[in-house]
Amino acid sequence: MEREHNMGNIVTELHKKGLIHPPSFLAHNLHYLVYMGSVAYGVSSDNSDNDLYGFTIPEKEMIFPHLHGEIMGFGKQAKRFEQYQEQTETPEGKKFDFSIYSIIKFFQLVMENNPNMIDSLFVPQRCVAHSTAIGNLVRENRKMFLHKGCWPTFKGYSYSQLHKADTKNPIGKRKETVERFGWDVKFGYHIVRLLLECEQILTEGDLDLERNRELLKSIRRGEWTLEQTKEYFSMKEKQLEEAYTKSTLPWGPDEDKIKELLLKCLEMHYGSLDKFI
């Protein structure tokens, strides 16, 4: 399903309409915002919610607290912005779910190869709702964040989805799905998606979120059983252990290189950092 992705800063639009209530600085300092979830994976329907992830750059005192005299770990500590989350629905029935992070938190999570955060940098171009020069710079350097640590992280998330798929007391839409298919196929497609994404990262050092959309659609249509999915997990786990060993990716993130990119972004936003650090 095609989404309106050249609409400018949708956060500003919804804020003006009083439908969301982000921190006062956020809308005008938003640098990157993308559609995630089923939209990004190419498996969405007309009823799919709009999950949006991105990052903002807060006021410089939040990132460099010493600028207003704060000593880390001593005395009263100012509350620092890390993330903003809010759900809303427009009068037309469109649902939006925002997860917007401080650029510091965003970089940290991507550097740790958090699956959602990695995905947010590799969404198809059509899913980019808003991006400044800073957002473009981070997206252009997205492969910098990839490393072998993706395997234990993605495996953990996939296993978590496998555990949830076994739940005996689903509620809401989940209950309807289980009654229709006999198990929660939405968890099922996430189990397989995470494993296949990790395989791409380990073997290619890159990620195409839509490559396996037809397979994922078949799972969502109920063409896989829970037992088949469990068997697939076990089989893929063995393959990925081998891929992990053979992968030419670095064992962990290059923190110095990533920090250099982060500081460049901050300098583009604030100007010279000579007086800050």
Side-chain angles (χ1 to χ4, degrees), residues 61-124:
E61 289 81 9
M62 290 189 184
I63 293 178
F64 305 108
H66 65 281
L67 293 177
H68 58 75
E70 182 177 326
I71 299 174
M72 292 288 285
F74 173 79
K76 186 177 180 181
Q77 302 285 294
K79 185 177 180 181
R80 275 178 278 283
F81 171 81
E82 286 198 340
Q83 69 185 84
Y84 155 74
Q85 291 186 300
E86 188 172 7
Q87 296 177 329
T88 191
E89 185 172 352
T90 67
E92 298 77 30
K94 284 187 176 182
K95 295 179 181 179
F96 293 90
D97 189 349
F98 290 96
S99 296
I100 300 174
Y101 298 81
S102 158
I103 190 171
I104 308 297
K105 183 72 171 178
F106 184 87
F107 265 56
Q108 182 66 32
L109 289 171
V110 182
M111 189 167 69
E112 293 170 356
N113 277 197
N114 174 287
N116 283 337
M117 310 315 293
I118 287 290
D119 286 359
S120 73
L121 284 181
F122 285 85
V123 296

Side-chain angles (χ1 to χ4, degrees), residues 47-180:
N47 298 321
S48 297
D49 295 345
N50 295 284
D51 298 320
L52 290 121
Y53 277 59
F55 69 80
T56 184
I57 299 183
E59 294 148 351
K60 59 182 178 292
E61 289 81 9
M62 290 189 184
I63 293 178
F64 305 108
H66 65 281
L67 293 177
H68 58 75
E70 182 177 326
I71 299 174
M72 292 288 285
F74 173 79
K76 186 177 180 181
Q77 302 285 294
K79 185 177 180 181
R80 275 178 278 283
F81 171 81
E82 286 198 340
Q83 69 185 84
Y84 155 74
Q85 291 186 300
E86 188 172 7
Q87 296 177 329
T88 191
E89 185 172 352
T90 67
E92 298 77 30
K94 284 187 176 182
K95 295 179 181 179
F96 293 90
D97 189 349
F98 290 96
S99 296
I100 300 174
Y101 298 81
S102 158
I103 190 171
I104 308 297
K105 183 72 171 178
F106 184 87
F107 265 56
Q108 182 66 32
L109 289 171
V110 182
M111 189 167 69
E112 293 170 356
N113 277 197
N114 174 287
N116 283 337
M117 310 315 293
I118 287 290
D119 286 359
S120 73
L121 284 181
F122 285 85
V123 296
Q125 186 62 39
R126 64 177 176 77
C127 292
V128 179
H130 174 76
S131 187
T132 65
I134 291 173
N136 293 340
L137 178 65
V138 177
R139 185 171 164 85
E140 288 163 8
N141 285 278
R142 56 194 174 183
K143 293 182 184 179
M144 179 190 300
F145 294 93
L146 301 179
H147 55 81
K148 286 191 174 187
C150 67
W151 169 224
T153 307
F154 274 68
K155 176 184 176 181
Y157 274 76
S158 183
Y159 183 80
S160 173
Q161 296 293 305
L162 185 63
H163 179 72
K164 290 176 181 177
D166 254 337
T167 182
K168 306 301 180 186
N169 298 300
I171 58 174
K173 289 183 179 180
R174 298 288 189 188
K175 186 175 182 179
E176 295 173 16
T177 301
V178 172
E179 288 174 349
R180 182 179 177 186

